Amino acid sequence: MTHASASSAPVVASRVPRVSTVAVLGAGTMGAQIAAHFANAGVPSLLLDLDAKTAREGLDRARKLKPDPLFGPDALALIRTGGFDTDLERIREADWILEAVVERLEIKRDLLARVDAARRPGSIVSSNTSGIPIAALAEGRSEDFRRHWLGTHFFNPPRYLRLLEVIPTPDTDAGVIEAVSWIADHRLGKGVVIAKDTPNFIANHIALYGVMRMIDVLAEGGYSVEEIDAITGPALGRPKSATFRTMDIAGLDVLALVVRNLYDRLPEGTRNAFSVPPLLARLIEKGWVGEKAGQGFYKRVRNAAGESEILALDPATFEYRPAQPVKLGALEAARSIDDIRERVRTLFGGSDRVGEFLRRTLAPTLVYTAKVSPEIAHSIDDVDRVLQWGFGWELGPFELIDAIGVTDVVEAWRRSAGPDAEVPPLLAEAMSSGSKRIRQGTVPPAGPDLQILRSAKERERVVRRNAGASLVDFGDGVLAVEFHSKMNAIGGDTIQMINAGVAEAERNFQALVVGNDAPNFSAGANVMLLLLEAQEGNWDEIDLMVRAFQGATSALRFAKVPVVVAPAGLALGGGCEVALHGDRVQAAAETYIGLVEVGVGLIPAGGGTKELLARASEALAPQADLLPASQRVFETIGFAKVATSAADARSIGYLRGVDGVSMNRDRLLWDAKQKALERVREGYQAPQPRPAIRVGGDGVRAALTLGVHLAWRAGRISDHDALIGRKLAGILSGGALPHATTVSEQHLLDLEREAFVSLCGERKTLERIAHTLKTGKTLRN
């Protein structure tokens, strides 16, 4: 067991296979979604089940899932369906055959025997099993099959959960491990961890140990379902679905199946920790297996008023009651602690019910992890990564131990395990050396081309910094602008650093990248500051704010060095406008980008309206009618369209054909850097402001305004929506112009700014801004 990353040593080295087509066997929940995600990556897939009808039905079910497993409808064209009864020989065309049928050893073995007979020699074969021994599944198969055989455990939903556990056997060729790892990383965007062929591999083994401890505490009656979820959610650096909501989504029957597998396969002395708790068994007996059954630990119902209401299970009575607000003082106090390590340490050490719960459940889970990790993983880094990538934990188990302190974790564990309980060697070694930590530092990036911003900052390559953003030297002549305000909202500090970044890059670097490692690129402009200025009637100040932002986006567009913007997650409003003004965009596949200003009663005024109109105009033939293109831009902005993926962003028009997409979020900034250097090698020349953008004048304005009026008459939009629509129509038609003509970029920027400032003076706009700041939702007033 090492503290650093490691992979299992392959037995035989061979040529690395190419993977350009796949076959997925089994069109159930996982199989259909895996095929969908290969299609997202542009890899054609053959989806087979018992017969063609079953396969088609499985794909149809996947298409209806929320969140959507597909980037967009175009991906469907890459998925073909068929049946084992008529189409199994077609797997000979596949470079990678992935089995995802029901979790029963004999059924899988029988199918794999048929696969062995039908496959092309040299093709990769893998199983998506979550716990059946990988080596056992390949017993009796041909030598070529076994050399190209391994486990590939995807997590549900495959599009959104990054983890892929790759489980080789002693017979697996090194080239096969390399090929699967590469395509999973680069094409599917996965975080790949090589796991040992042990019961339920790494992630489920450790996570379920913790879940069992929480169910035990719930059954004792000291804590409610809602309280445990409040403690084990974002406060602990975990998803909002926390523990019991996550279990309901996954399915309690599925959970019990995995737990039973662990019980059956683990040795005496360990297996008892994985006995199915009576509480869980009773829920399954009643058929209350979670979301798919309509009830589990939670139940959603309609109340007398017809509104949706969440009920929670009372384990004492086994009846449902309205979910109660959680009132735990420690959690409220912890909200003010931004540093996750300090927050966890504070909660764990508290003398209240939150601290007691964590010492009773988290401490034994962390000690158990330290005990079994050498048997199931190649490094503690891998253990931390699987819990981060597979379950969305902000800190992995060993990071949690280091945050709390080794001694404090062990002392808490001993209160239940007893003073003579044997401390696992990983913890004992740290304690004997007097260290409070197992790892010195944090989990390193999984590769040299991953998380390069973090690596640059650790090497102290920050050139300049303020509260809103930093300039960071990426090396090789590339400078980066990193946003780091709350939600990366764009305010004066950010604008200052964008301008400084352009100036610094033009003086001392070859290219500029704009991006960050945060979950969201930018939630938009700082509307709180805007609201305060508007309430005070500081119209000149608002005008200056808009001019400053327009100046910053223009600086990006006309920089003397290539600028590559790298959005990921939310890139809304001003964040979208920053992306629109890069020479190129390198977007994460999961980028949700859009001009959403109408939701707060405004229009895009950082050049976004201008840029979409200019791009639409440039795409037209010289004599083409301007109205359809203007209408599309009007609908994009007026309906506040937000792309559901980078692929969707391309179809809407936020991304262009020359822009790139990175499937692996951790590689995004590396890819952006490479794109910037590529533009340098191409001999980049800065563009000049467009002197003649075609606009439709009064003809287009009248048509767009008529559409607004008809929507208002039909009751589809409010009076204020209609006002915003008329303002937007005025910009997109070029202003008060009697006929079609051309205008400059600055003309459109002036129209944007004038409309924006005038809308800031509308009471209903201020109401929308205030409502959004308070609730996070839009107000249609």
Side-chain angles (χ1 to χ4, degrees):
M1 182 74 175
T2 67
H3 288 202
S5 300
S7 296
S8 57
V11 172
V12 183
S14 71
R15 181 180 62 85
V16 178
R18 286 188 57 209
V19 176
S20 56
T21 58
V22 301
V24 180
L25 311 183
T29 300
M30 285 301 292
Q33 290 190 82
I34 290 169
H37 196 51
F38 272 106
N40 289 337
V43 180
S45 61
L46 173 65
L47 179 63
L48 301 181
D49 210 298
L50 291 174
D51 52 51
K53 179 175 180 290
T54 304
R56 285 193 302 271
E57 289 173 348
L59 183 58
D60 288 342
R61 284 192 301 272
R63 293 173 60 187
K64 297 173 184 176
L65 291 173
K66 298 297 178 186
D68 197 333
L70 291 163
F71 285 169
D74 292 348
L76 275 175
L78 293 176
I79 306 174
R80 299 172 296 157
T81 57
F84 299 150
D85 53 348
T86 57
D87 301 290
L88 191 63
E89 72 279 357
R90 292 166 63 187
I91 67 172
R92 190 172 182 83
E93 306 165 13
D95 300 316
W96 179 357
I97 303 160
L98 198 153
E99 173 274 310
V101 298
V102 64
E103 284 286 279
R104 292 177 58 182
L105 175 63
E106 291 308 317
I107 290 176
K108 288 179 182 288
R109 274 182 171 168
D110 289 347
L111 177 60
L112 291 172
R114 297 172 64 188
V115 168
D116 197 2
R119 63 183 278 272
R120 184 181 72 249
S123 61
I124 297 168
V125 190
S126 73
S127 175
N128 186 56
T129 180
S130 61
I132 297 175
I134 301 301
L137 286 171
E139 288 178 4
R141 303 281 59 79
S142 66
E143 180 187 357
D144 185 83
F145 182 104
R146 286 184 284 106
R147 286 175 51 211
H148 294 85
W149 166 253
L150 71 172
T152 50
H153 182 211
F154 289 79
F155 279 65
N156 188 22
R159 171 182 166 181
Y160 300 96
L161 288 184
R162 288 192 55 210
L163 178 61
L164 179 70
E165 291 178 312
V166 172
I167 310 98
T169 74
D171 295 325
T172 310
D173 275 6
V176 171
I177 303 170
E178 184 179 347
V180 168
S181 298
W182 190 94
I183 193 171
D185 175 355
H186 291 77
R187 299 292 299 277
L188 301 180
K190 295 298 176 186
V192 177
V193 169
I194 308 297
K196 298 180 181 180
D197 193 3
T198 59
N200 294 95
F201 317 128
I202 304 173
N204 281 340
H205 186 162
I206 292 170
L208 285 177
Y209 182 93
V211 167
M212 293 300 99
R213 306 293 72 74
M214 293 180 209
I215 294 178
D216 290 343
V217 172
L218 175 68
E220 292 173 8
Y223 295 82
S224 68
V225 168
E226 302 98 307
E227 287 176 327
I228 293 175
D229 271 355
I231 295 170
T232 60
L236 209 59
R238 298 183 185 177
K240 291 181 180 179
S241 55
T243 299
F244 296 115
R245 175 65 182 139
T246 298
M247 291 167 63
D248 276 354
I249 294 170
L252 305 187
D253 52 341
V254 174
L255 177 76
L257 182 67
V258 178
V259 171
R260 290 190 185 101
N261 184 65
L262 283 162
Y263 182 87
D264 291 342
R265 294 183 57 203
L266 288 171
E268 294 288 344
T270 300
R271 64 191 305 180
N272 289 339
F274 293 95
S275 298
V276 175
L279 172 59
L280 181 59
R282 188 175 176 189
L283 281 166
I284 295 169
E285 182 183 345
K286 285 180 170 290
W288 300 353
V289 294
E291 193 172 73
K292 60 189 174 186
Q295 59 195 109
F297 286 102
Y298 292 99
K299 181 179 182 180
R300 188 187 298 273
V301 298
R302 292 282 177 185
N303 60 22
E307 301 168 334
S308 178
E309 184 178 7
I310 302 296
L311 307 181
L313 180 73
D314 182 343
T317 64
F318 244 75
E319 295 179 353
Y320 290 93
R321 49 160 179 75
Q324 301 298 308
V326 173
K327 298 178 181 179
L328 293 168
L331 295 183
E332 292 301 317
R335 291 180 187 274
S336 63
I337 305 175
D338 291 332
D339 182 84
I340 180 62
R341 289 170 173 80
E342 181 184 349
R343 186 165 71 244
V344 169
R345 184 166 56 251
T346 300
L347 291 171
F348 186 91
S351 58
D352 60 318
R353 295 176 65 233
V354 174
E356 179 63 24
F357 176 83
L358 292 176
R359 289 189 291 273
R360 291 184 60 191
T361 59
L362 182 59
T365 301
L366 297 179
V367 173
Y368 181 80
T369 301
K371 173 187 174 182
V372 302
S373 287
E375 303 164 10
I376 65 177
H378 294 284
S379 76
I380 65 171
D381 291 345
D382 285 345
V383 173
D384 279 346
R385 290 184 185 121
V386 295
L387 274 301
Q388 291 169 340
W389 294 341
F391 293 100
W393 291 16
E394 196 169 338
L395 297 178
F398 290 100
E399 289 180 307
L400 286 167
I401 292 172
D402 288 345
I404 297 165
V406 174
T407 301
D408 289 343
V409 169
V410 171
E411 287 179 354
W413 163 71
R414 275 183 164 151
R415 292 174 195 171
S416 58
D420 298 326
E422 184 178 356
V423 179
L426 279 172
L427 302 180
E429 290 170 10
M431 294 173 69
S432 64
S433 68
S435 174
K436 294 182 178 181
R437 303 168 60 92
I438 293 179
R439 180 195 289 114
Q440 299 307 312
T442 58
V443 181
D449 57 350
L450 302 175
Q451 296 181 302
I452 65 169
L453 175 61
R454 171 188 160 186
S455 297
K457 290 194 293 185
E458 288 174 349
R459 298 195 309 273
E460 299 183 348
R461 304 300 293 272
V462 176
V463 176
R464 186 173 169 184
R465 188 182 193 280
N466 65 23
S470 295
L471 304 184
V472 183
D473 183 355
F474 271 179
D476 301 318
V478 179
L479 182 69
V481 177
E482 175 201 12
F483 300 166
H484 47 64
S485 60
K486 185 175 182 180
M487 287 296 289
N488 290 327
I490 298 170
D493 287 337
T494 309
I495 290 171
Q496 179 188 34
M497 204 54 67
I498 289 174
N499 289 324
V502 172
E504 178 70 19
E506 289 178 340
R507 284 193 304 267
N508 298 312
F509 292 83
Q510 298 183 72
L512 181 68
V513 168
V514 182
N516 53 70
D517 284 338
N520 297 308
F521 175 73
S522 174
N526 185 341
V527 291
M528 172 62 83
L529 178 60
L530 177 67
L531 177 63
L532 294 174
E533 296 289 357
Q535 288 173 335
E536 294 295 323
N538 294 333
W539 312 121
D540 288 344
E541 184 63 30
I542 292 174
D543 184 83
L544 287 173
M545 290 166 59
V546 178
R547 288 178 187 271
F549 187 37
Q550 289 181 340
T553 57
S554 294
L556 292 173
R557 173 167 162 73
F558 303 121
K560 296 176 184 177
V561 297
V563 175
V564 177
V565 183
L570 296 178
L572 303 179
C576 177
E577 289 177 298
V578 168
L580 288 172
H581 286 81
D583 171 62
R584 294 289 188 269
V585 174
Q586 183 71 31
E590 298 297 343
T591 296
Y592 316 119
I593 186 170
L595 296 172
V596 297
E597 285 84 351
V598 296
V600 289
L602 298 167
I603 55 94
T609 306
K610 172 267 301 179
E611 194 61 26
L612 283 192
L613 179 63
R615 292 183 183 185
S617 174
E618 290 168 345
L620 295 175
Q623 304 303 318
D625 183 3
L626 286 167
L627 180 59
S630 301
Q631 180 73 38
R632 284 194 298 274
V633 175
F634 182 91
E635 291 174 355
T636 296
I637 298 173
F639 296 156
K641 290 184 179 179
V642 176
T644 56
S645 65
D648 190 36
R650 204 185 300 278
S651 67
I652 294 172
Y654 294 132
L655 298 183
R656 303 155 296 181
V658 295
D659 295 326
V661 176
S662 297
M663 291 293 285
N664 190 325
R665 173 67 176 87
D666 284 352
R667 187 175 284 102
L668 173 63
L669 293 177
W670 168 272
D671 290 342
K673 175 183 173 181
Q674 302 313 307
K675 184 173 284 290
L677 291 172
E678 178 183 341
R679 293 292 286 150
V680 171
R681 291 191 295 271
E682 291 171 353
Y684 174 78
Q685 295 292 318
Q688 298 301 310
R690 302 176 181 96
I693 299 170
R694 291 178 61 199
V695 293
D698 279 350
V700 165
R701 181 172 187 158
L704 296 178
T705 302
L706 176 61
V708 171
H709 178 73
L710 293 175
W712 174 79
R713 283 283 301 271
R716 296 198 301 272
I717 63 174
S718 68
D719 290 351
H720 196 50
D721 290 328
L723 172 64
I724 298 167
R726 290 192 295 271
K727 297 277 188 183
L728 181 58
I731 301 168
L732 295 177
S733 60
L737 300 172
H739 52 72
T741 184
T742 60
V743 298
S744 67
E745 288 199 21
Q746 189 59 52
H747 178 81
L748 292 176
L749 289 172
D750 291 343
L751 292 177
E752 280 187 2
R753 189 179 65 258
E754 291 164 6
F756 186 95
V757 175
S758 70
L759 286 168
C760 285
E762 296 288 334
R763 177 179 57 83
K764 290 187 176 180
T765 286
L766 303 189
E767 290 173 353
R768 288 191 180 189
I769 295 174
H771 181 83
T772 299
L773 288 170
K774 182 178 181 180
T775 68
K777 300 177 181 178
T778 56
L779 172 67
R780 287 297 182 191
N781 55 350

